[in-house]
Amino acid sequence: MKKNNTALLVIICLLLAGGGAYGQKGTLSEKNIRLVMQAAYNEFKGTSGGANADYIPYLASVNPNLYGIVVCTADGKVLEVGDTKFEFGIESISKVFVLALAMQERGAQAIQDSIGVNATGMPFNSVMAVELEPQRAVNPLVNAGAMATNSFVPGSSSAEKWTKIDNIFAKFAGRRLPVIQPLYASETATNQHNRAIAWLLYSYGRFYDNVDDAVDRYTKACSYGTTTRDLAVMAGTLANGGMNPVTREKVINAALCPKVLATMMMEGLYDNTGSWLYHTGIPGKSGVGGGIIAVAPGKLAIAVFSPPLDKAGNSVKAQKTLEYMINRLKLNLLDSGR
Ligand code: GLU
């Protein structure tokens, strides 16, 4: 009899422990995440609006109907729906991971002092953003700051600096990422505006390498081919304190993750970041290739891919999908949950 009681007690304890799984954890159970992800996919699959980026000719040629969603949880589950295996240009989302590298090598304070961390509130390729800031400080997630951040990665040669970028991207993604050569060629042929911004920063003493080399590395990093799954795992690493939740490899120090995520919160969706934060309450980062990542620290990351963009350069469908999922999964960091 006593034995039976003990067994009963153990069962009750197990149920109670799992009972958390019907509160906040229940919202984030694998089953519920799948349900919400599929519902979002069904809801927005037919959404139209926006247009592929065309200032980089390669991007205009990508099928606008591709649509994928991937969730990577902090404990390493990867859930996906749609065109999640298609490799597309990472574009501006690369800025997050080059920043992580520069921060890891130089320290968080050096990034604030030498690059800047405040929001510009201006378009991603704004020259005015540089001109208006007294210190010429810029955010590492807009083009000016991202190129300066790339120039700030230490190394004895441009090749060595590129190897560092390539290695850390491989660790974030859990696989070595390819550079999409036609995209790299297309961007290189059309990046005069970016080069002008880099030279402007250089003229103010806010660029830390040979301009052509650093702009080339920046352009190459924007041309990485990533699947929606890759992006979810990369973002999942930031959700998991800098350890890749799938490979379990430590990529950056846990203490740096909140700093990286703070820059995303301020500037992740360019001049639309305020509106993004207003509706979602978590850090996100978009790229003109049509990808957006969103990170719920300690819980999970979501990546969505759909090429047509709004005027600010953010995927129309990905924004709608993420807003829907973030709210249904109760991921808003600013919500007390009461
Ligand atoms: N390679 C693009 C550029 O520098 C990235 C922009 C983006 O994704 O926002 O213009």
Side-chain angles (χ1 to χ4, degrees), residues 133-264:
E133 266 296 321
Q135 307 295 317
R136 312 298 167 197
V138 275
N139 186 286
L141 300 189
V142 294
N143 288 11
M147 291 186 285
T149 302
N150 204 311
S151 80
F152 202 48
V153 171
S156 57
S157 66
S158 192
E160 187 188 317
K161 293 174 194 180
W162 175 254
T163 301
K164 283 187 181 175
I165 293 172
D166 205 38
N167 287 343
I168 205 161
F169 273 60
K171 287 184 186 173
F172 270 114
R175 72 166 184 127
R176 196 145 295 270
L177 296 175
V179 169
I180 303 176
Q181 291 301 331
L183 174 57
Y184 178 34
S186 187
E187 293 217 23
T188 302
T190 53
N191 71 352
Q192 295 78 11
H193 187 88
N194 279 344
R195 280 190 268 155
I197 294 173
W199 278 111
L200 183 64
L201 282 170
Y202 185 86
S203 76
Y204 289 130
R206 300 283 295 188
F207 210 83
Y208 308 99
D209 192 5
N210 175 293
V211 172
D212 291 334
D213 287 350
V215 173
D216 180 55
R217 288 195 306 275
Y218 162 84
T219 308
K220 203 168 168 182
C222 287
S223 307
Y224 270 124
T226 44
T227 64
T228 314
R229 186 186 197 280
D230 291 326
L231 289 184
V233 175
M234 295 173 88
T237 303
L238 294 174
N240 190 38
M243 176 190 280
N244 184 315
V246 176
T247 65
R248 312 295 304 159
E249 186 174 4
K250 189 82 188 153
V251 186
I252 58 165
N253 296 344
L256 299 179
C257 288
K259 305 278 187 237
V260 173
L261 295 175
T263 66
M264 287 168 63

Side-chain angles (χ1 to χ4, degrees), residues 250-321:
K250 189 82 188 153
V251 186
I252 58 165
N253 296 344
L256 299 179
C257 288
K259 305 278 187 237
V260 173
L261 295 175
T263 66
M264 287 168 63
M265 248 169 157
M266 285 180 283
E267 195 70 277
L269 277 84
Y270 308 118
D271 34 335
N272 202 40
T273 308
S275 170
W276 159 266
L277 200 56
Y278 195 74
H279 289 286
T280 64
I282 67 172
K285 181 73 198 89
S286 68
V288 294
I292 305 185
I293 56 172
V295 178
K299 294 177 179 160
L300 54 79
I302 312 174
V304 183
F305 167 58
S306 163
L309 312 177
D310 64 15
K311 293 261 181 300
N314 302 312
S315 166
V316 172
K317 215 186 267 189
Q319 284 177 93
K320 287 189 196 297
T321 305

